[in-house]
Amino acid sequence: MCGIVGCIGVKNPVEYLIEGLKELEYRGYDSAGIAVKDENEIKVIKAVGKLKNLEDKVKKSGLKNPEFGIGHTRWATHGKPTEINAHPHRGAFSAVVHNGIIENYQEIKKELQKEGIEFISQTDTEVIVKLFEYYYEGDSFKAFEKTLKKLEGAYAILLITKYEDKIFFAKKGSPLIVAKNGNEIYFASSDAPLIGYAEKAHYLEDGEYGVADNEIHLYNDSQKISPYFKSLPTNKESAKKGGFRFYMEKEIYEQYDVLKENTLGRNTPDGIKFDELDREFFEGINNIIISACGTSYHAGLVGKYLLERDAKIRTNVEVASELRYREPLLTKDTLFVVISQSGETADTLETLKMAKKAGLKTLALCNVDNSSIVREADKTILLRAGIEKGVASTKAFATQVMTLWMLSNYLAQKNEYEAINEAIEVTKVDSALHEKIKRLSKRYLHGHGFFYIGRDIFFPLALEGALKLKEISYIHAEGYPAGEMKHGPIALADPDLYVVALLSKNILFEKTKSNIEELVARDATVLTVSSEYIEMTDDFIKINDTAHPMVEFFEMMLVTQLLAMEVAIRMGNDVDMPRNLAKSVTVE
Ligand code: M6R
């Protein structure tokens, strides 16, 4: 995900900007840039790829006396990762960096174009600087306030202009921090860049904006307010993990924000909108094949339930490593969908090439723009999950399922705006829930294996829960359809067989409950996850009561992820880098 830095009143601003961006590298990016005021001009330097490329360009740029500046690492969402699309974006006399998404950028762009204003990038961000300059009539602060009033969506913004020795800033929906050390003012989108430069910082709230010279002038709703300074962490590594023990834990906690980003501008009160798709693309499509591996395959299985039930399109989900060698029948009325966090999984990529060769339309659901899969596919919906460091996929899975849900709404022309928002809400980790799972985890360490059971969409979630557990705890675990246990696996039931039962109130409640009873009767140790309390099982985790199964799904997902992680932590394992596994599987 994108990163922001900025500073003013600092001896060597370029050093802070570059070093600060390095601290944000771990979040993932595909281009970077800085803008500084130098000799009364705004100079912008950008480069695609690693920060080293930017550093080299900065060294050769002949900057004379940079006074203050802003910087950015970009993870492409609107437009390809090119130098033109990289931030900062500039106008005639100012430059801007931005995190988030301006939902009404198309509208603003059209209005400004009618006024003869030209755009060079494909980004939503460029409208900010062009709008600012359009409104500028000698008072930068007024123009900035007017600009903010026009913007819809989410943003963290830093803007500089050659007419003032100031940095203008604003936050709504995307994080932004401002720190002060004497007359030195620093900005960053997360803690890490600020550590070592300042000891205290103000974490902006939504709706706050202002201007910094050698002071921080902070506003909310045109009213001046005082910054509230908090101590910054002192350890950079833990700051990168946001104070969490593992990246996986941080990524589980990030799911709420990431899902907001994933649905931004897509889930609207008028239904689902995908900038990257048009309805014509789906003309003549009667079937869907989804091809993926591991966690992405499990997301695909959820997609099958949704696409068939809601959009009424026959959908088959295939493990890519099987599909590529089994000479499948591929007909041209089939849309071939690949799902991949990394965009580099060799098996998935090969099936995509195979489908293209057979003349099928292809669509990728992927987290990494410009990856091999994105380059190969006809169309892509980016997952916007930000970089995922933990080998065990969590937030990417959440965004894959959410994207499939939105896709099935889009194809069914169904509007579940409220339910989607409700599902995002339940991914906010409740500390009491986490604490309970932490405590419970100690009872689930020494059995002879786990079964995760569920029906309907909760069956793929059972598969995913089991995969999470085995990847990081090295305990044997299987996901099973709850109704299938009696056809064999129930023979394993004894007190040392652990069962995690995903009991939906909304789908086949009584039937799943009976399946749980069958296991209890054979003395298996059962942990039930449900909104409906059932007394018979050994342990119970209560989720929120809701009328929508997908809302239950997202909360149960959270529970299974936290449980796997807490069990693995108790076993003393390296949760982020489990043995024998790689984050991106580029071999077959
Ligand atoms: O990058 P991809 O989504 O294509 O990766 C597919 C699998 O390798 C991946 O999901 C794997 O199963 C993860 N380690 C799951 O946590």
Side-chain angles (χ1 to χ4, degrees), residues 508-524:
L508 299 169
F509 176 78
E510 288 302 335
K511 292 197 188 301
T512 314
K513 198 171 151 210
S514 302
N515 301 141
I516 297 172
E517 268 161 23
E518 287 152 16
L519 283 154
V520 170
R522 283 154 189 88
D523 239 1

Side-chain angles (χ1 to χ4, degrees), residues 292-298 339-346 348 365 373 388 390-394 396 400 464 467-468 471 578 581-585:
C293 303
T295 288
S296 302
Y297 168 73
H298 297 153
I339 307 178
S340 175
Q341 186 285 128
S342 62
E344 302 297 345
T345 303
T348 311
L365 271 50
I373 284 178
E388 190 179 60
V391 166
S393 181
T394 51
Q400 288 166 344
E464 176 58 13
L467 178 66
K468 280 298 79 89
E471 278 188 299
L581 298 179
K583 184 69 189 158
S584 179
V585 186

Side-chain angles (χ1 to χ4, degrees), residues 522-573:
R522 283 154 189 88
D523 239 1
T525 300
V526 182
L527 161 63
T528 303
V529 187
S530 182
S531 63
E532 300 301 290
Y533 182 68
I534 55 167
E535 216 171 319
M536 63 184 163
T537 61
D538 302 85
D539 288 309
F540 180 78
I541 292 177
K542 180 161 172 40
I543 59 162
N544 285 294
D545 192 10
T546 167
H548 203 294
M550 286 302 285
V551 179
E552 294 179 295
F553 180 98
F554 277 94
E555 196 171 355
M556 288 186 191
M557 171 196 79
L558 193 69
V559 170
T560 57
Q561 293 167 340
L562 288 170
L563 179 67
M565 186 186 75
E566 290 304 337
V567 169
I569 292 175
R570 280 192 188 274
M571 315 270 302
N573 298 344

Side-chain angles (χ1 to χ4, degrees), residues 307-502:
L307 287 160
E308 293 202 335
R309 187 149 47 219
D310 293 338
K312 308 286 175 222
I313 303 182
R314 186 178 303 113
T315 304
N316 285 316
V317 190
E318 306 270 358
V319 171
S321 56
E322 282 299 307
L323 180 68
R324 67 184 283 196
Y325 293 113
R326 72 169 178 77
E327 298 176 30
L329 289 176
L330 298 174
T331 53
K332 290 201 175 134
D333 63 345
T334 301
L335 173 68
F336 196 83
V337 179
V338 284
I339 307 178
S340 175
Q341 186 285 128
S342 62
E344 302 297 345
T345 303
D347 288 319
T348 311
L349 179 61
E350 282 314 308
T351 60
L352 174 59
K353 288 183 182 161
M354 186 171 90
K356 278 192 83 180
K357 210 165 159 200
L360 272 64
K361 286 185 185 170
T362 58
L363 169 67
L365 271 50
C366 188
N367 197 30
V368 182
D369 199 1
N370 217 27
S371 57
S372 306
I373 284 178
V374 169
R375 289 200 304 272
E376 194 71 33
D378 296 329
K379 302 260 182 200
T380 297
I381 304 177
L382 289 175
L383 300 173
R384 302 180 187 161
I387 194 165
E388 190 179 60
K389 283 204 133 188
V391 166
S393 181
T394 51
K395 62 177 180 168
F397 175 71
T399 57
Q400 288 166 344
V401 173
M402 182 57 85
T403 306
L404 286 160
W405 185 10
M406 288 192 289
L407 183 66
S408 96
N409 262 222
Y410 176 85
L411 294 174
Q413 310 219 10
K414 187 173 174 185
N415 186 341
E416 292 183 297
Y417 176 74
E418 298 294 345
I420 288 176
N421 287 338
E422 196 188 336
I424 296 173
E425 282 309 308
V426 299
T427 61
K428 220 184 248 172
V429 183
D430 171 42
S431 55
L433 173 78
H434 192 167
E435 207 39 55
K436 169 152 195 186
I437 294 172
K438 215 180 262 180
R439 265 187 294 114
L440 267 182
S441 64
K442 63 175 179 272
R443 298 176 60 165
Y444 290 90
L445 303 178
H446 304 296
H448 56 68
F450 271 78
F451 272 88
Y452 283 67
I453 59 166
R455 281 170 177 259
D456 202 278
I457 51 172
F458 303 95
F459 162 50
L461 183 58
L463 290 172
E464 176 58 13
L467 178 66
K468 280 298 79 89
L469 185 76
K470 64 188 150 202
E471 278 188 299
I472 57 177
S473 72
Y474 320 136
I475 299 173
H476 180 72
E478 280 186 66
Y480 236 76
E484 184 66 10
M485 289 297 284
K486 57 187 169 296
H487 297 288
I490 204 164
L492 294 168
D494 69 15
D496 292 328
L497 179 76
Y498 300 148
V499 178
V500 178
L502 305 175

Side-chain angles (χ1 to χ4, degrees), residues 122-183:
Q122 300 162 302
T123 66
D124 52 333
T125 302
E126 197 184 352
V127 300
I128 303 172
V129 69
K130 296 285 163 76
L131 197 59
F132 169 78
E133 294 196 350
Y134 176 70
Y135 286 143
Y136 179 75
E137 288 173 337
D139 185 336
S140 306
F141 190 64
K142 250 191 197 156
F144 187 63
E145 275 191 314
K146 230 170 152 184
T147 304
L148 296 179
K149 285 204 177 108
K150 185 92 179 164
L151 303 179
E152 285 169 20
Y155 51 75
I157 294 171
L158 297 183
L159 182 144
I160 56 174
T161 157
K162 75 172 185 178
Y163 298 130
E164 315 246 14
D165 289 350
K166 291 174 179 169
I167 297 181
F168 298 88
F169 60 90
K171 179 218 186 289
K172 187 182 151 203
S174 295
L176 188 63
I177 308 168
V178 55
K180 190 164 158 44
N181 184 9
N183 286 342

Side-chain angles (χ1 to χ4, degrees), residues 13-294:
V14 172
E15 181 195 285
Y16 172 72
L17 297 179
I18 298 287
E19 292 308 310
L21 291 179
K22 283 185 189 163
E23 294 299 332
L24 297 173
E25 255 190 314
Y26 74 97
R27 299 172 63 85
Y29 66 103
D30 35 48
S31 57
I34 61 167
V36 289
K37 186 166 171 195
D38 182 43
E39 308 262 287
N40 280 328
E41 286 302 324
I42 298 295
K43 298 195 179 147
V44 175
I45 306 161
K46 313 199 253 190
V48 172
K50 291 283 150 206
L51 274 174
K52 177 83 184 60
N53 303 346
L54 178 66
E55 256 186 304
D56 290 346
K57 275 184 123 178
V58 170
K59 274 185 200 141
K60 290 184 201 146
S61 66
L63 288 177
K64 300 218 169 59
N65 181 27
E67 294 165 47
F68 59 93
I70 55 181
H72 191 265
T73 43
R74 173 174 188 255
W75 174 275
T77 53
H78 285 71
K80 294 270 163 215
T82 59
E83 201 170 307
I84 286 185
N85 287 336
H87 300 213
H89 286 278
R90 63 174 311 155
F93 53 87
S94 34
V96 72
V97 292
H98 158 231
N99 282 355
I101 292 177
I102 305 301
E103 286 172 23
N104 59 339
Y105 83 101
Q106 302 271 28
E107 248 168 80
I108 299 176
K109 197 168 175 173
K110 274 188 204 135
E111 281 173 31
L112 293 176
Q113 277 168 332
K114 272 192 207 142
E115 301 292 325
I117 293 166
E118 286 177 13
F119 287 81
I120 55 168
S121 78
Q122 300 162 302
T123 66
D124 52 333
T125 302
E126 197 184 352
V127 300
I128 303 172
V129 69
K130 296 285 163 76
L131 197 59
F132 169 78
E133 294 196 350
Y134 176 70
Y135 286 143
Y136 179 75
E137 288 173 337
D139 185 336
S140 306
F141 190 64
K142 250 191 197 156
F144 187 63
E145 275 191 314
K146 230 170 152 184
T147 304
L148 296 179
K149 285 204 177 108
K150 185 92 179 164
L151 303 179
E152 285 169 20
Y155 51 75
I157 294 171
L158 297 183
L159 182 144
I160 56 174
T161 157
K162 75 172 185 178
Y163 298 130
E164 315 246 14
D165 289 350
K166 291 174 179 169
I167 297 181
F168 298 88
F169 60 90
K171 179 218 186 289
K172 187 182 151 203
S174 295
L176 188 63
I177 308 168
V178 55
K180 190 164 158 44
N181 184 9
N183 286 342
E184 300 173 356
I185 313 268
Y186 298 92
F187 291 92
S189 50
S190 67
D191 292 342
L194 302 167
I195 298 169
Y197 288 91
E199 284 172 5
K200 285 183 184 292
H202 172 76
Y203 293 70
L204 275 91
E205 297 289 340
D206 282 348
E208 290 182 358
Y209 64 96
V211 56
D213 35 35
N214 51 6
E215 282 298 332
I216 300 164
H217 309 278
L218 189 65
Y219 296 82
N220 197 338
D221 228 355
S222 302
Q223 299 298 312
K224 194 147 191 206
I225 54 170
S226 303
Y228 171 65
F229 288 103
K230 283 191 198 160
S231 296
L232 281 162
T234 47
N235 177 316
K236 275 191 192 286
E237 193 47 40
S238 100
K240 279 189 204 171
K241 289 184 191 159
F244 292 103
R245 295 164 291 174
F246 291 95
Y247 280 108
M248 181 184 178
E249 186 176 32
K250 177 169 179 279
E251 286 158 8
I252 292 172
Y253 272 72
E254 266 172 14
Q255 290 180 121
Y256 170 74
D257 289 326
V258 153
L259 286 172
K260 275 190 152 179
E261 186 119 353
N262 170 267
T263 53
L264 199 67
R266 292 172 174 166
N267 181 38
T268 79
D270 304 326
I272 300 296
K273 293 190 177 140
F274 282 115
D275 277 353
E276 39 294 79
L277 302 178
D278 47 67
R279 300 247 166 226
E280 273 168 35
F281 182 66
F282 297 92
E283 270 170 23
I285 295 297
N286 296 316
N287 307 295
I288 292 178
I289 293 180
I290 298 178
S291 168
C293 303

